[in-house]
Amino acid sequence: MIKVLDKNVADKIAAGEVIERPISIVKELVENALDAGADNLVVEIKNGGKTYIRVTDNGCGIPCEEVETAFLRHATSKIETASDLDAIDTLGFRGEALASIAAVTRTELVTKTADRKTGTRLVLHGGAVILKEQTGCPDGTTIVITDLFYNTPARLKFMKTDSAESGLIIDFISQMALAYKNVKFRLINNGKILFSTLGDGNRLNTILRVYNDVDARNMVPVSFKEDGIEIEGYISTPAFSKTTRGSQIFFVNGRVVSSKVIERGVTAGYKERLFEGRYPVTYLFLHVDPHTIDVNIHPNKREVRFDHETLVTDFISRAIRDALSTKDAVVDAGNLFRNMDKKISPSKVYERVFEPFREKEPEKISRKEDQVDIKQLLSTIENPASEETSTKAIHHEEGTGPSIEIYEPQLKPFDFSELEITGVIFDTYITAVDGSSFYLIDQHAAHERIFYEKLVGEYESSEKARQSLLVPLIINVSLAVSENHFDWLDALAKMGFTIDEFGSGTFRITEIPMFMELSEAEDFVNQFIENINDSTNLSNKVVIDKLIMMSCKAAVKANDVLRMDEIRALINDLSSCINPFSCPHGRPTFIRLTHYEIEKMFKRV
Ligand code: ADP
Ligand code: MG
């Protein structure tokens, strides 16, 4: 017999489609709060949201006579006719979120509009109203959801562990807090405040409050605009990177997206600045003409497709290079002393300065909950003891307490002319000072950078500055290499070598690039040829770049004792590099200790 389903059953089925897991509820409630004009939100969860979710806002509230209507399916204040659907600029408009949530949980709503003296409390179990009463409460709305899926136990087993569920929620609220920098967000997990933002519109400030592991001193601002595309945000300097892309967050027109096109742009922008397998931290906000993208909405991520993919990749890569090069991008040794405990031994100090640049074991990926810095929380959140699960908790004055001091990164480009060279230590590291800092410059890394840029520069320029050799260099190569010698001969010629075949498997070099020493030229060419194999495509510029990069290492010798005039020439050459602060392999050329950091180490400040 065909039966029309009872409303309760129909609601439960429909709810199952919309409400898959705790994050679905949190999303709907937060979007409703923002749609209600709130600029202060508290989100609290327990057990990954399975047993408890609270969202409190200071938005417009719901009038007493409309509270039940809000829980009816297809009840929405956001559209009236189908034609409105196109013009919708709110976050949700299907008008079924509250109905679906209520159907599979116990729900409590406490709400008040500004024009009324009292508010309303409505309690529903499995969608059925069991209590409605007047109540004193602040303006705005609190919704408390308990016992998710208590009446549809079969769904419980589709949920992941508490920490997996809370992870999704934490990520989502973190991203919302970044996107809505003018809205105060506070997130509480199992009674612990994870973060609270000030809603003061300051992007960096918001990032630092949400992501406790980000060090402001290693973040540089990005701001770039061209052909109707605009990007802003913050990215890490090469001194601060991760082993996964997990800390790369992209927003397109205000929404979080995942995009290979943007990722590629980021990778290209950091090219040569980071080791392979290291990923920068990026919070990038892209603004594009909505007609040039296609947004595909998956349950937990949005994928965006750009009409002009290479244009976007290239734009992002240039924006990043611009941010990294015009800003002060010297690795700050002081950063490495952050969290330094009082009784640290000199060898530990040494390790902290140099260890981060060695290749590392993949880091332990810690859960966001573990990263909460309680001390910071205590110093930044007034009266933490008063934070409770009460529906009124939000309405005491928030964010007025002492705020953390925000370090604004220096925007001044690094000035080489102020560097005063003071000496060399261990025959390897040049020491130098300027008005505010002490520097160690790795002579070998600096030399590699210069060598690399000069070779690439020669390769790309039409005029080659060559010097002829009194006695030609003779190079012997394997048969396989000499077989396809036209290609690599051509590549070397483009770099400023004059080279020709001398006999079978033997080649003669009569001219080398102007800037090279004889021994460097010999080592470079040998290494270059050795790195070529059958599959090397020598007409590809990226391949050539890589070959040059690999060969520089062999050509440039460590521990050469340099005279003072040679050191000056080296620093001078370095200053005209496009990318003076790291070697072609991504190691830093410079390490800085600020005057302040030094005084701190000696406990003078
Ligand atoms: P939709 O958001 O699609 O309109 P919902 O079921 O999410 O549908 O919400 C139904 C209605 O309840 C909303 O249109 C809005 O009028 C009201 N509402 C929901 N949450 C809030 C809130 N936090 N503050 C004020 N009004 C709200
Ligand atoms: Mg909604």
Side-chain angles (χ1 to χ4, degrees):
M1 191 183 1
I2 298 173
K3 268 204 214 158
V4 174
L5 290 177
D6 152 277
K7 177 185 174 298
N8 235 323
V9 177
D11 278 355
K12 277 192 209 168
I13 293 171
E17 284 156 21
V18 183
I19 309 302
E20 276 192 319
R21 49 186 0 107
I23 178 70
S24 343
I25 297 182
V26 172
K27 262 186 186 162
E28 296 291 346
L29 297 182
V30 165
E31 291 183 349
N32 278 350
L34 292 169
D35 280 347
D39 64 4
N40 194 344
L41 267 78
V42 174
V43 177
E44 172 165 13
I45 56 169
K46 287 177 186 165
N47 302 104
K50 294 176 193 169
T51 57
Y52 185 93
I53 296 170
R54 168 173 72 99
V55 175
T56 295
D57 70 54
N58 66 345
C60 64
I62 306 172
C64 178
E65 58 281 6
E66 287 179 17
V67 289
E68 287 106 331
T69 323
F71 285 93
L72 293 179
R73 195 159 294 283
H74 307 303
T76 175
S77 57
K78 297 163 197 172
I79 42 171
E80 281 183 355
T81 66
S83 66
D84 282 353
L85 278 171
D86 290 338
I88 222 84
D89 67 347
T90 60
L91 294 167
F93 54 84
R94 293 184 313 272
E96 58 187 6
L98 288 186
S100 300
I101 292 167
V104 292
T105 63
R106 300 185 212 274
T107 301
E108 178 182 352
L109 166 79
V110 176
T111 186
K112 185 173 110 51
T113 54
D115 60 341
R116 304 282 172 92
K117 282 214 173 60
T118 56
T120 312
R121 177 162 174 257
L122 187 75
V123 179
L124 302 95
H125 286 181
V129 175
I130 65 161
L131 175 78
K132 182 181 181 184
E133 63 181 10
Q134 299 239 315
T135 180
C137 64
D139 295 348
T141 303
T142 286
I143 296 189
V144 178
I145 306 293
T146 46
D147 306 327
L148 176 58
F149 298 141
Y150 82 98
N151 55 350
T152 53
R155 297 221 155 249
L156 281 172
K157 66 171 183 289
F158 292 109
M159 285 199 279
K160 298 183 190 151
T161 60
D162 289 4
S163 67
E165 296 294 349
S166 66
L168 294 173
I169 295 169
I170 293 165
D171 283 346
F172 171 72
I173 301 296
S174 302
Q175 292 158 4
M176 290 304 267
L178 289 200
Y180 291 80
K181 59 183 179 183
N182 294 308
V183 175
K184 286 184 193 176
F185 277 87
R186 173 179 293 192
L187 178 60
I188 305 163
N189 183 25
N190 294 331
K192 208 162 79 174
I193 301 167
L194 293 192
F195 64 77
S196 65
T197 63
L198 297 178
D200 61 359
N202 181 320
R203 184 75 80 199
L204 182 61
N205 201 338
T206 310
I207 292 170
L208 297 178
R209 282 179 161 264
V210 173
Y211 297 99
N212 300 301
D213 60 333
V214 171
D215 182 347
R217 290 169 301 184
N218 277 324
M219 299 301 284
V220 290
V222 176
S223 172
F224 206 69
K225 194 175 175 175
E226 208 176 82
D227 302 331
I229 317 183
E230 215 180 319
I231 194 166
E232 44 112 1
Y234 281 82
I235 58 174
S236 59
T237 65
F240 180 45
S241 60
K242 303 265 177 167
T243 51
T244 67
R245 282 194 191 275
S247 299
Q248 300 191 348
I249 300 182
F250 311 126
F251 296 80
V252 171
N253 296 350
R255 301 293 181 94
V256 169
V257 299
S258 62
S259 158
K260 289 268 172 287
V261 171
I262 301 178
E263 281 178 7
R264 273 204 293 276
V266 168
T267 305
Y270 278 90
K271 186 166 167 272
E272 301 154 25
R273 305 295 299 262
L274 288 174
F275 284 112
E276 250 175 65
R278 301 295 305 182
Y279 299 93
V281 175
T282 65
Y283 303 102
L284 291 172
F285 297 79
L286 197 63
H287 305 277
V288 301
D289 177 349
H291 296 109
T292 65
I293 54 169
D294 179 17
V295 182
N296 227 317
I297 302 160
H298 290 274
N300 282 319
K301 63 177 183 193
R302 273 165 193 270
E303 266 172 17
V304 63
R305 198 161 306 129
F306 296 95
D307 288 355
H308 310 290
E309 296 193 343
T310 33
L311 194 135
V312 173
T313 301
D314 183 57
F315 170 84
I316 287 169
S317 127
R318 274 180 298 127
I320 283 176
R321 260 180 283 143
D322 175 74
L324 291 178
S325 65
T326 62
K327 311 299 183 283
D328 189 353
V330 182
V331 171
D332 201 332
N335 291 353
L336 310 169
F337 291 96
R338 202 162 62 98
N339 309 326
M340 185 169 87
D341 44 347
K342 297 211 167 58
K343 289 186 228 73
I344 194 158
S345 67
S347 67
K348 269 270 170 335
V349 171
Y350 182 88
E351 261 171 42
R352 295 222 180 161
V353 176
F354 296 102
E355 191 265 346
F357 306 115
R358 297 207 194 110
E359 286 287 15
K360 275 197 199 164
E361 291 284 295
E363 286 165 4
K364 166 178 156 272
I365 300 171
S366 56
R367 290 220 34 74
K368 197 127 347 112
E369 281 105 320
D370 300 339
Q371 296 169 6
V372 175
D373 181 346
I374 291 299
K375 256 196 252 110
Q376 189 208 336
L377 286 176
L378 292 179
S379 69
T380 58
I381 291 163
E382 78 293 0
N383 219 354
S386 72
E387 183 60 53
E388 24 152 337
T389 59
S390 142
T391 53
K392 289 157 199 159
I394 190 180
H395 299 285
H396 66 243
E397 267 303 294
E398 291 187 275
T400 52
S403 63
I404 38 172
E405 196 189 311
I406 298 303
Y407 176 98
E408 289 289 349
Q410 287 175 298
L411 301 186
K412 176 167 80 82
F414 184 76
D415 188 354
F416 277 92
S417 71
E418 282 185 12
L419 266 192
E420 186 193 323
I421 293 150
T422 56
V424 179
I425 57 171
F426 309 133
D427 288 344
T428 307
Y429 304 102
I430 299 162
T431 59
V433 289
D434 65 13
S436 58
S437 300
F438 167 76
Y439 301 88
L440 282 171
I441 301 152
D442 180 335
Q443 162 189 319
H444 181 241
H447 197 161
E448 262 187 61
R449 161 56 60 188
I450 295 161
F451 203 87
Y452 170 78
E453 287 204 9
K454 282 192 170 162
L455 273 171
V456 172
E458 287 295 330
Y459 190 83
E460 282 164 0
S461 86
S462 51
E463 286 292 304
K464 316 289 174 198
R466 301 167 199 250
Q467 49 182 325
S468 45
L469 300 177
L470 283 176
V471 182
L473 269 176
I474 305 298
I475 305 268
N476 294 310
V477 305
S478 71
L479 209 62
V481 171
S482 78
E483 283 293 278
N484 86 54
H485 66 263
F486 294 110
D487 283 344
W488 61 261
L489 277 185
D490 188 48
L492 285 171
K494 280 189 181 154
M495 286 173 228
F497 292 90
T498 303
I499 180 168
D500 56 8
E501 195 162 11
F502 193 50
S504 116
T506 307
F507 293 81
R508 179 178 62 179
I509 299 173
T510 50
E511 286 178 315
I512 62 172
M514 197 65 178
F515 68 91
M516 275 189 192
E517 286 178 17
L518 185 61
S519 67
E520 289 175 340
E522 190 171 7
D523 288 341
F524 177 82
V525 172
N526 278 322
Q527 193 65 43
F528 189 83
I529 292 169
E530 201 163 290
N531 286 331
I532 297 171
N533 57 41
D534 301 346
S535 58
T536 311
N537 174 5
L538 285 160
S539 57
N540 182 329
K541 206 190 144 295
V542 176
V543 174
I544 298 280
D545 266 19
K546 199 155 190 156
L547 276 173
I548 293 178
M549 190 180 102
M550 295 192 311
S551 313
C552 283
K553 202 176 171 56
V556 177
K557 295 284 179 298
N559 301 331
D560 275 350
V561 182
L562 297 184
R563 293 188 314 268
M564 205 38 132
D565 59 318
E566 290 172 322
I567 292 175
R568 288 217 180 82
L570 185 79
I571 300 297
N572 192 38
D573 280 349
L574 191 61
S575 74
S576 47
C577 284
I578 298 169
N579 215 340
F581 303 115
S582 66
C583 84
H585 309 89
R587 284 191 302 277
T589 51
F590 269 75
I591 287 184
R592 170 179 55 197
L593 267 172
T594 64
H595 188 188
Y596 177 75
E597 294 287 350
I598 293 171
E599 298 217 306
K600 221 163 66 181
M601 282 191 265
F602 288 105
K603 310 271 176 259
R604 283 165 169 269
V605 288

